[in-house]
Amino acid sequence: MSQPATKVLVIGYVWPEPRSSAASGHVMQILETFLQQGWNVTFASPAGVGEHPADLAELGIRTVPIELNNSSFDVFVSELAPDIVLFDQFMIEEQFGWRVEKHCPNALRVLETSDLQSLRHARHQRLKDRLKASDDANDFNELFAPALREEFELMADTDLAKREIAALYRCDLNLMISPVEIELLVQQFKLPPELLHWCPLMVDPPSLPSKSFEERAHFLSIGNFRHAPNWDAVLWIKSAVWPLIREQLPKAQLHIYGAYTPPKAAALHNAAQGFHIMNWAEDALQVMSDARICLAPLRFGAGIKGKLIDAMLCGTPSVTTPIGAEGMRTDQPWPGAICRTAQDLANAAVELYRDEVRWQAAQSQGQALLNDVYPQAIHGPALINKLQECRKNIVQLRRQNFTGSMLRHHSHKSTQYMAQWIEAKNQNK
């Protein structure tokens, strides 16, 4: 007699928009991994539907809108009785973790982080401090140099880090996209390694050869404008990097694509300077394949960068910073260049744009890095195996994670009472 299919509930911070953000793309990769296993998947979210949602129903995924601070979720999750609950971002675990534990105590609770938000926010604050202290728009080397201990000290006193680390402890397993963040959590925050599983972006090798050097033109930058590191990168390109490129390539064009383009971004459009704000790209891989160089001068951020994976998939060399390449490097050369100043970024971008031999070498290096680090055929089965192992040993895992049990006892009680108070208040309006 066959075993019933594993039931998975994914609670999303937003409805996935894989054509708008790498975080949503990663969620979709995880969902597809579950479907390939024959698991029954339900996706629920309290968010409104965005402009470019994935068609989950077409994939065979049940979709359910849910409400914050409402006991209707308790009825829903009790009736569903999932075997695994995946929280998309730690704020969702804060909202729904205590309800899942109360009504489905045997369900494996998993947190999908996308990136370590407290690290990203701490780095953003460091950039703000640097911008206040100096008007030098060229050299941001000190932003890219900190050791893990310095990152820890930057984060440790923040409320966001305390909330996020507590959520990691409360879950049975946490999916981490960056090995650097795993190292930071284990070495500095002293999280048990068994609570963390490396699950990077998962890709299949491209089925068609990439466009050649001669078939391409222009520079490209791409990223959701709602994501603060992307907007900051656009500002740095505009103020410092692009003028230096245009000095060497007076007719060069930069095409900047991004979902949810705000008026402040549209206002930067200047055709005379070759600076084109192109809004949302319906097919990000198509515009990436048409470009000769991908610019990603990120001054802060966390996780790993979907745009740079897309660049490798399309055979497009990329010029980025140590923040952009963080967590993505092996011993192999970077497929393009990693630079720390605006001048070096511009020089590297121009050299790659002009030098076909160097450009072709970078394209090959990107394919090698993809094959070495990101194959879905490796990471998909590894994720399934890890989840099955955790389900099998769930009692022992929870007993060993006393800190998590303690945090659930105290945090969930306060969260529960607050949620119940809000619900009662809403009902009395």
Side-chain angles (χ1 to χ4, degrees):
M1 187 174 179
S2 62
Q3 293 288 329
T6 298
K7 289 190 290 185
V8 182
L9 170 62
V10 180
I11 309 177
Y13 183 72
V14 297
W15 297 96
E17 294 190 31
R19 294 185 296 169
S20 298
S21 76
S24 283
H26 191 232
V27 170
M28 291 300 299
Q29 292 166 0
I30 293 171
L31 292 175
E32 289 164 1
T33 298
F34 294 162
L35 293 174
Q36 291 169 7
Q37 195 67 17
W39 291 358
N40 291 330
V41 182
T42 299
F43 193 99
S45 177
V49 178
E51 294 179 5
H52 314 292
D55 191 344
L56 299 181
E58 185 180 14
L59 297 174
I61 298 173
R62 177 191 176 196
T63 58
V64 180
I66 54 177
E67 293 184 47
L68 298 172
N69 305 308
N70 194 307
S71 56
S72 60
F73 177 85
D74 303 345
V75 177
F76 157 68
V77 78
S78 296
E79 292 177 349
L80 182 64
D83 302 299
I84 300 171
V85 177
L86 178 72
F87 305 103
D88 172 31
Q89 301 193 29
F90 81 90
M91 298 86 78
I92 289 296
E93 188 279 335
E94 287 182 326
Q95 286 286 340
F96 295 99
W98 68 271
R99 294 184 184 274
V100 170
E101 181 176 20
K102 181 177 180 180
H103 298 284
C104 303
N106 296 323
L108 186 73
R109 298 183 294 270
V110 184
L111 177 59
E112 197 280 316
T113 61
S114 292
D115 67 2
L116 203 57
Q117 294 188 37
S118 51
L119 175 61
R120 169 162 44 90
H121 281 256
R123 286 173 167 174
H124 194 183
Q125 185 58 52
R126 182 168 59 203
L127 172 62
K128 291 176 182 177
D129 294 342
R130 158 65 175 78
L131 293 174
K132 289 178 182 177
S134 171
D135 58 2
D136 179 5
N138 176 55
D139 188 352
F140 291 86
N141 186 62
E142 72 271 21
L143 300 180
F144 309 133
L148 290 181
R149 184 64 191 179
E150 294 177 65
E151 301 282 31
F152 168 76
E153 291 174 353
L154 195 68
M155 299 165 63
D157 293 333
T158 66
D159 289 343
L160 190 62
K162 292 168 185 174
R163 290 172 55 199
E164 189 168 25
I165 301 302
L168 297 175
Y169 266 112
R170 287 194 297 263
C171 289
D172 300 309
L173 185 68
N174 301 279
L175 308 184
M176 305 301 303
I177 202 168
S178 168
V180 172
E181 292 174 9
I182 293 177
E183 188 178 2
L184 174 65
L185 290 170
V186 172
Q187 291 188 5
Q188 301 300 325
F189 286 94
K190 308 303 181 184
L191 261 77
E194 58 269 20
L195 288 180
L196 308 174
H197 176 74
W198 180 44
C199 183
L201 295 172
M202 302 178 281
V203 298
D204 295 314
S207 56
L208 297 174
S210 301
K211 288 187 176 181
S212 67
F213 180 86
E214 294 84 359
E215 294 175 293
R216 298 169 181 252
H218 312 314
F219 296 85
L220 173 139
S221 180
I222 191 166
N224 191 319
F225 281 107
R226 288 181 175 175
H227 192 53
N230 293 335
W231 171 238
D232 175 73
V234 170
L235 293 178
W236 195 28
I237 293 173
K238 176 71 173 179
S239 66
V241 180
W242 187 242
L244 295 171
I245 291 175
R246 288 275 289 191
E247 283 181 8
Q248 302 179 64
L249 297 172
K251 296 183 180 180
Q253 292 187 34
L254 170 64
H255 296 170
I256 298 178
Y257 292 88
Y260 300 102
T261 307
K264 64 182 180 180
L268 298 179
H269 181 88
N270 189 321
Q273 297 174 356
F275 198 89
H276 299 270
I277 302 296
M278 309 294 287
N279 300 316
W280 180 66
E282 186 170 350
D283 188 338
L285 295 182
Q286 180 62 52
V287 298
M288 183 69 78
S289 295
D290 290 337
R292 189 174 290 179
I293 304 294
C294 172
L295 292 178
L298 295 154
R299 294 189 287 191
F300 74 99
I304 62 175
K305 313 305 179 289
K307 60 177 68 65
L308 298 179
I309 294 289
D310 286 348
M312 295 180 218
L313 281 168
C314 297
T316 307
S318 58
V319 178
T320 188
T321 63
I323 290 289
E326 182 181 81
M328 303 183 71
R329 301 176 67 182
T330 64
D331 294 334
Q332 301 179 29
W334 182 257
I338 300 172
C339 305
R340 295 169 178 263
T341 69
Q343 187 66 65
D344 288 347
L345 285 161
N347 291 344
V350 170
E351 179 185 357
L352 280 165
Y353 196 88
R354 287 172 166 168
D355 189 337
E356 183 174 358
V357 174
R358 175 72 186 90
W359 187 93
Q360 290 174 339
Q363 187 178 72
S364 298
Q365 288 159 358
Q367 185 61 62
L369 189 57
L370 277 184
N371 294 337
D372 186 39
V373 182
Y374 300 105
Q376 196 279 337
I378 293 176
H379 295 292
L383 173 59
I384 297 299
N385 290 339
K386 185 65 175 180
L387 293 172
Q388 291 174 331
E389 177 188 339
C390 288
R391 285 189 65 201
K392 181 179 178 181
N393 301 309
I394 192 168
V395 174
Q396 182 181 358
L397 286 173
R398 289 178 177 174
R399 185 178 297 126
Q400 291 175 340
N401 182 18
F402 179 79
T403 300
S405 176
M406 179 175 61
L407 288 169
R408 287 198 307 274
H409 174 77
H410 291 288
S411 300
H412 282 350
K413 290 297 183 185
S414 60
T415 305
Q416 174 184 345
Y417 297 146
M418 177 60 74
Q420 290 173 338
W421 178 80
I422 293 173
E423 182 176 9
K425 183 180 178 182
N426 290 338
Q427 288 173 348
N428 291 330
K429 284 183 178 179

